[in-house]
Amino acid sequence: MLLIRTLTTMLAVLLGAAIGAAIGGALQVPTAGAALGAALSAAALAWWDTARGETLLHWLRGPKIGAVPRATGWWGEMAYRIERGLRLREAGIEAEKQRLRDFLDAIEASPNGVLMIDKGDQIEWSNGVAAEHFGLDRERDHRQRITNLVRTPAFVGYLQRGQFEEALVFPGPNGRGTLMVLVRAYGDGMKLILSQDITERERAEAMRRDFVANVSHEIRTPLTVLAGFVETMSRLPLSEVERQRVLTVMTQQTDRMQGLVGDLLTLAQLEGSPRPPVDRWLAVADLMQRVQVDALALSAGRHALGVAGGGDAEIAGSDTELLSAVGNLVNNAVRYTPDGGRIDVAWRWRDDGSAEIAVTDTGPGIAREHLPRLTERFYRVDGSRSRETGGTGLGLSIVKHVAQRHGGAIDITSEVGKGSTFKLVLPALRVRRRTGVVAEPVHPA
Ligand code: ADP
């Protein structure tokens, strides 16, 4: 390149000198003409070169690298090389930016809150979850001091102490739920705050504790009675009448414990097993028949009993679960309805294709405020009545589980002094009409 440029320059200067000499010869000053011609052509060359360099410089000063000036030779190659270098650098920057975007998107998608703060505890960046956890507005609160925005003393103290080996659990600043926060230091005094909403976990843990406490309490009472009687029997000589009385009470207490353990096992089984199949069809008539037999035995003639409908229907589900659910509802109706009352068990189709088994009684009814809590484990409106009649407090939670496992629900309506209706509602997917059944048999009371 250098050689070509040198030769071109020399050629141009020689050419200029020759032309100058020819013109100078005609004017009788050939030497001066040659010198002037050489100087002019050198100046023209220098100007042309400067102009091309200026075009390149103008382009480089511009904001964009597009539209590179087209040139040949030395300046052309220089423009091409500069442009290539710039494009490579731009592609590298774009790739880095994309990597950063992907990285931030990944953190954004995290189910946990991520918040970065600098050494002055000012917010550098946060994902949406963290903003929600701490009640922040990501744009407005950027570069604000976190402790000015989240003023919960436990959180402020935790950040100030600077000992982050253990996570901090505190009530969410929005007044909602419980947050668990973990802090990790990085870089030059920067901190990464990771937050997790543990409200559900806490609630489940509280429920588990309550459940264990309730079960222990329910078992301890009959056990205490039994232990007392065992001691009495082993220490004191009892008459036959007294012995019989003691044995009757002991049998009642063991029955109570057996009932409780039975219900606990049923619940555990319901929670631990897969949902009943949707393609095993059971005749509702058989279910109603068995419910009627059990109800008659339980009531022992103390109530008027009606069982109706379902002769044309089938349910897809588990017969033991459904029998246990309806059995529990009927059992409750019998136990809570005073003698002489009426209990009806009815199968009904609903307009949307679903169906319900309704158990209606003329018992004491339940005040409205208790209704939402009735299906909670061990929730009783009248504890002593429940226990006296062999209740465990788990019946309705079993019914609710069975209903949910069949895609249905339990629906309770009640009026104090008039009676209650408990409906086991089954979705259209799990009920169908039996083919070939003409009339609906009604089971007489
Ligand atoms: P329990 O074993 O105590 O009957 P359940 O879970 O079956 O437990 O019922 C919860 C509570 O709902 C009962 O303790 C009772 O107070 C109330 N209850 C249930 N069924 C009836 C009913 N048919 N009539 C009045 N109260 C009822």
Side-chain angles (χ1 to χ4, degrees):
M1 185 63 77
L2 186 65
L3 188 66
I4 296 173
R5 270 179 79 80
T6 312
L7 286 176
T8 317
T9 312
M10 280 171 68
L11 212 67
V13 171
L14 283 176
L15 198 68
I19 295 170
I23 296 171
L27 300 172
Q28 307 298 315
V29 279
T31 315
L36 192 64
L40 278 176
S41 59
L45 259 183
W47 176 84
W48 187 56
D49 218 32
T50 309
R52 292 175 68 190
E54 180 60 32
T55 316
L56 186 64
L57 209 58
H58 180 73
W59 167 68
L60 279 175
R61 284 194 198 113
K64 278 206 237 153
I65 61 163
V68 55
R70 291 285 145 233
T72 49
W74 198 73
W75 287 113
E77 184 170 347
M78 193 182 289
Y80 164 74
R81 300 243 168 241
I82 292 174
E83 185 200 14
R84 208 169 71 116
L86 287 175
R87 283 201 192 282
L88 278 177
R89 208 183 66 177
E90 204 168 70
I93 292 172
E94 191 45 48
E96 284 301 318
K97 275 188 188 163
Q98 187 56 42
R99 257 224 298 272
L100 184 66
R101 274 198 294 269
D102 289 348
F103 183 67
L104 292 179
D105 284 352
I107 303 180
E108 192 63 60
S110 160
N112 295 332
V114 181
L115 190 83
M116 293 166 187
I117 55 174
D118 65 11
K119 44 172 114 156
D121 288 347
Q122 287 173 330
I123 299 172
E124 281 286 342
W125 188 86
S126 83
N127 69 355
V129 180
E132 196 186 314
H133 284 170
F134 293 106
L136 305 174
D137 180 317
R138 286 209 277 177
E139 282 186 13
R140 189 195 60 206
D141 297 335
H142 180 64
R143 305 238 23 99
Q144 294 291 315
R145 195 184 270 260
I146 182 81
T147 42
N148 287 346
L149 302 168
V150 182
R151 290 166 178 269
T152 317
F155 178 73
V156 176
Y158 180 68
L159 271 190
Q160 282 170 352
R161 268 194 306 281
Q163 289 161 359
F164 305 125
E165 296 80 26
E166 286 191 14
L168 170 76
V169 174
F170 71 110
N174 287 344
R176 282 186 267 126
T178 310
L179 278 188
M180 185 167 82
V181 159
L182 209 82
V183 177
R184 289 286 172 263
Y186 73 100
D188 182 18
M190 303 279 287
K191 289 188 204 88
L192 184 71
I193 303 180
L194 302 168
S195 60
Q196 199 180 0
D197 186 341
I198 56 165
T199 315
E200 271 309 308
R201 202 202 294 175
E202 291 265 295
R203 199 161 42 210
E205 182 57 25
M207 270 173 70
R208 194 193 62 77
R209 276 196 304 268
D210 282 358
F211 182 67
V212 172
N214 276 325
V215 171
S216 314
H217 177 76
E218 294 288 332
I219 287 181
R220 195 174 58 184
T221 315
L223 259 184
T224 312
V225 177
L226 276 177
F229 281 129
V230 167
E231 191 170 326
T232 310
M233 285 183 91
S234 60
R235 281 173 178 234
L236 301 173
L238 299 177
S239 70
E240 186 52 25
V241 178
E242 283 170 331
R243 208 176 71 89
Q244 279 308 326
R245 196 181 59 79
V246 167
L247 283 177
T248 306
V249 180
M250 287 174 83
T251 309
Q252 279 169 358
Q253 297 305 321
T254 45
D255 284 352
R256 189 171 151 190
M257 284 207 289
Q258 262 172 349
L260 179 69
V261 172
D263 277 358
L264 285 172
L265 286 175
T266 305
L267 267 179
Q269 214 166 16
L270 288 175
E271 281 173 355
S273 55
R275 278 172 170 242
V278 283
D279 55 356
R280 243 192 48 221
W281 292 92
L282 322 158
V284 173
D286 291 347
L287 178 72
M288 298 296 255
Q289 184 103 46
R290 286 159 74 185
V291 166
Q292 187 179 30
V293 170
D294 290 350
L296 283 172
L298 258 166
S299 165
R302 291 178 290 130
H303 310 93
L305 188 73
V307 179
D312 64 340
E314 286 184 325
I315 306 178
S318 151
D319 57 350
T320 44
E321 287 184 25
L322 291 164
L323 186 65
S324 155
V326 183
N328 262 305
L329 294 180
V330 174
N331 184 303
N332 281 353
V334 171
R335 282 171 36 233
Y336 293 107
T337 306
D339 294 358
R342 182 172 176 84
I343 295 160
D344 281 290
V345 185
W347 168 275
R348 280 189 220 109
W349 290 102
R350 292 177 156 205
D351 293 342
D352 60 359
S354 61
E356 64 188 35
I357 301 175
V359 179
T360 306
D361 64 53
T362 56
I366 304 157
R368 185 191 290 264
E369 67 267 22
H370 296 293
L371 295 183
R373 299 198 57 191
L374 280 191
T375 55
E376 284 176 20
R377 294 165 181 188
F378 297 112
Y379 188 84
R380 294 164 164 117
V381 178
D382 180 349
S384 55
R385 172 102 186 101
S386 160
R387 289 188 186 88
E388 265 168 34
T389 55
T392 60
L394 296 173
L396 290 180
S397 48
I398 291 177
V399 181
K400 184 179 163 188
H401 259 85
V402 171
Q404 286 177 341
R405 283 165 57 79
H406 286 78
I410 175 171
D411 176 25
I412 310 170
T413 46
S414 190
E415 203 176 324
V416 175
K418 289 206 168 159
S420 318
T421 298
F422 289 79
K423 289 177 185 167
L424 175 65
V425 184
L426 295 159
L429 177 78
R430 283 193 179 260
V431 291
R432 71 176 183 193
R433 285 178 201 272
R434 266 169 89 185
T435 43
V437 176
V438 186
E440 254 187 42
V442 172
H443 303 278

